[in-house]
Amino acid sequence: MFSPLRPIYPVAGIRAIENKLIPSARPPLMERAGRAAAEDAVRLIMDRPGPILVACGPGNNGGDGFVMARQLAQAGREVIVAFCATADRLPAEAAKAHADYVAAGGTLVSDLPAAPANGWALVVDALFGIGLVRRIEGRYASWINTLNAQPVPRMALDVPSGLNADSGEPLGATFCATHTTTFIALKPGLLTNDGPDYCGEISVQRIDIDAEAWLPASGHAIAPSLFRGLLRPRPRNTHKGIYGDAGILGGNTGMVGAALLAGRAALWLGTGRVYVGLLDEHGPAVDLVRPELMLRHAGGLPERLSALAVGPGLGTQAASEGLLAAALERDIPLVLDADALNLIGADAGLSAALGARQAPSVLTPHPAEAARMLACDTASVQRDRLRAALEIARRYQALVVLKGCGSIIATADGRWFINGTGHPGMASAGMGDVLTGLTVGLLAQGWPPESALIAAVHLHGAAADRLAREGIGPVGLTASETIDAARGIFNGWLIEAQRPPRNAAPRTPR
């Protein structure tokens, strides 16, 4: 659970590391990568008979494929390599890998062969690596379409060909892998946008390189180890005042449920008191499902709050705008979601007020809300989700989570994190409101803003994952169901965090 953090590098970072190591690396990096890929392939198809097809491209990714093919053939597997480029135009290291494969008696064909009667044991994409920034067309596009149609394990080397390794955007024909072996470290495009749909199961082969020793990473994959130090048991001598007062402001006509969901999530994550301010003049006086919530009119939230969330069901009327403007002036941590973000994106005064805040601000946009805040379209945000998240964080001097597949958390100083929990069943009404409640609940309890947001995002997805394992979803999962699951997982984290690490020395009794 509390495994070491995994760094993520964009292509430029990986290239910088490679350039430092290639001149002196022994064995060469390509040899290491091909060998590691072969080891992954052996584990993957240990019980699958039949030949292996490796499609090699005209660059270093093809070189990785040649090394892999040679290693597999030397291990006794039948291997066929499809290669339609010119060997003497390969980069030097890839040309050597090609020559070594041929010298070892390897089989080469210039076009994809028909599948054998019993099918391939494995097909491998070694066509184009992490540097691809153009659409794949022509023969290679045809090859990719044929490989994708094979009903067998499909393995990509480093990144599925056709997928932008930085953004996760598919560039025309794109290999759809069941397994991806990536080298040195994770890349953002494997984890966000369309990346997870094309990568399948990801194996990171470090090939004997400690990436962060050569270049510190600005991005990391989210894991509970990021906030383990905050997972402390509560003292027995305690009271609710210690655990903060959270406020939720929203719940306009027809949208009261959004504010209640956020309030319930904050309450079930252990916040001492939760106040929900509703704009709907005819809203309920009590939440009959969770009567512990203290419901108020929107203007009646207490002055003394530990943290405030604005946006769930807020609406965009003049009254909503006025309440948001007043909230931005409060010297407490704010979580801004939904219509709070839409109002800020449409009003220069609110935008300036947000950017000028001294207290912490946490923004939780989905791609359409992010586009409004950046004055662009949603497609532009999705084409480069990492850039969009970092720009919002910089522009508004805030913490940002750009929600979606592979939610990205960005800080104002340029650091970023990608979350891997969650599933498509979370694309349903109210999920964002629950995330807002989890975040404001941790803020109210005194968690540092960055840790609160990271933990809330990871917890939210983990709750949905647990429910799916229990048969509750992914299809048909509701937002309210994730609240109870989140509470259970969070308490499990608290227990696990108190266990000594597995490699820790045993305690000596006094």
Side-chain angles (χ1 to χ4, degrees):
M1 175 184 290
F2 298 107
S3 55
L5 293 183
R6 296 192 298 168
I8 311 172
Y9 290 89
V11 171
I14 294 294
R15 293 296 190 223
I17 294 169
E18 289 176 337
N19 290 338
K20 293 177 181 179
L21 287 168
I22 284 174
S24 59
R26 298 293 181 272
L29 300 190
M30 185 173 290
E31 189 70 23
R32 300 184 198 181
R35 182 185 304 163
E39 291 170 354
D40 273 355
V42 168
R43 286 189 287 268
L44 179 61
I45 61 168
M46 190 173 296
D47 298 324
R48 287 184 62 88
I52 298 166
L53 174 64
V54 182
C56 289
N60 285 327
N61 195 243
D64 296 337
F66 286 123
V67 175
M68 176 189 186
R70 190 187 82 238
Q71 294 279 342
L72 289 169
Q74 291 173 342
R77 294 300 301 237
E78 180 184 353
V79 182
I80 298 173
V81 170
F83 176 66
C84 65
T86 305
D88 58 11
R89 298 185 64 180
L90 285 168
E93 198 173 349
K96 183 180 183 304
H98 171 275
D100 289 346
Y101 174 70
V102 173
T107 302
L108 272 174
V109 295
S110 60
D111 205 350
L112 286 186
N118 294 322
W120 303 104
L122 173 72
V123 295
V124 180
D125 160 32
L127 292 172
F128 299 97
I130 60 176
L132 185 74
V133 293
R134 59 179 173 81
R135 293 174 63 89
I136 297 177
E137 298 174 339
R139 174 180 285 193
Y140 287 120
S142 176
W143 279 22
I144 287 173
N145 292 333
T146 300
L147 294 172
N148 284 343
Q150 303 306 305
V152 299
R154 298 180 301 276
M155 183 176 178
L157 301 192
D158 218 4
V159 62
S161 291
L163 186 74
N164 186 304
D166 280 344
S167 70
E169 180 187 18
L171 304 171
T174 302
F175 184 71
C176 190
T178 60
H179 298 77
T180 296
T181 292
T182 198
F183 307 119
I184 300 178
L186 290 164
K187 292 83 183 174
L190 304 179
L191 306 174
T192 193
N193 204 2
D194 290 310
D197 284 323
Y198 284 96
C199 292
E201 183 180 318
I202 297 172
S203 166
V204 179
Q205 287 287 352
R206 296 173 58 188
I207 57 175
D208 298 323
I209 294 172
D210 181 0
E212 293 204 87
W214 293 93
L215 180 68
S218 57
H220 288 86
I222 292 178
S225 49
L226 277 166
F227 46 85
R228 179 177 186 167
L230 294 163
L231 296 169
R232 297 187 291 267
R234 294 182 171 185
R236 294 173 65 87
N237 184 18
T238 192
H239 59 85
K240 64 179 179 288
I242 295 174
Y243 305 111
D245 295 339
I248 312 291
L249 179 58
N252 214 320
T253 304
M255 298 181 287
V256 169
L260 294 181
L261 281 170
R264 293 171 185 177
L267 181 70
W268 277 41
L269 206 56
T271 308
R273 289 176 287 242
V274 180
Y275 299 87
V276 181
L278 301 174
L279 277 84
D280 186 346
E281 294 182 357
H282 304 292
V286 62
D287 180 357
L288 295 177
V289 177
R290 296 287 174 262
E292 300 88 350
L293 293 177
M294 290 173 277
L295 307 190
R296 302 282 191 276
H297 185 267
L301 287 175
E303 282 297 316
R304 296 185 63 182
L305 288 173
S306 308
L308 173 63
V310 185
L314 182 69
T316 56
Q317 297 94 328
S320 305
E321 188 172 344
L323 288 165
L324 174 58
L328 290 170
E329 295 178 357
R330 300 186 69 158
D331 188 27
I332 56 174
L334 284 185
V335 181
L336 302 177
D337 183 32
D339 281 331
L341 302 176
N342 292 328
L343 287 167
I344 288 165
D347 188 288
L350 291 174
S351 177
L354 171 58
R357 275 176 49 83
Q358 297 301 305
S361 303
V362 178
L363 316 181
T364 64
H366 58 53
E369 292 159 352
R372 295 178 193 118
M373 299 187 78
L374 292 172
C376 65
D377 56 35
T378 303
S380 297
V381 170
Q382 289 295 82
R383 275 195 296 270
D384 196 340
R385 286 170 51 79
L386 178 57
R387 182 206 59 79
L390 286 166
E391 175 58 21
I392 294 173
R394 184 201 62 79
R395 184 177 299 187
Y396 295 101
Q397 290 299 291
L399 282 160
V400 175
V401 55
L402 177 56
K403 296 182 289 195
C405 180
S407 292
I408 297 174
I409 292 175
T411 69
D413 62 2
R415 292 174 296 108
W416 46 276
F417 307 85
I418 301 182
N419 185 56
T421 59
H423 56 69
M426 299 181 74
S428 65
M431 285 291 179
D433 305 312
V434 171
L435 175 61
T436 293
L438 297 174
T439 306
V440 77
L442 291 175
L443 286 171
Q445 293 174 62
W447 279 49
E450 183 177 310
S451 299
L453 181 58
I454 287 171
V457 169
H458 194 67
L459 175 62
H460 192 211
D465 288 340
R466 170 182 283 188
L467 290 168
R469 289 193 299 270
E470 295 171 354
I472 305 171
V475 176
L477 177 67
T478 63
S480 56
E481 288 172 309
T482 64
I483 298 173
D484 186 23
R487 179 177 64 176
I489 289 175
F490 189 76
N491 279 290
W493 287 350
L494 288 169
I495 294 169
E496 190 64 28
Q498 307 316 307
R499 302 183 196 276
R502 292 181 181 179
N503 57 354
R507 294 179 179 178
T508 303
R510 296 181 178 179

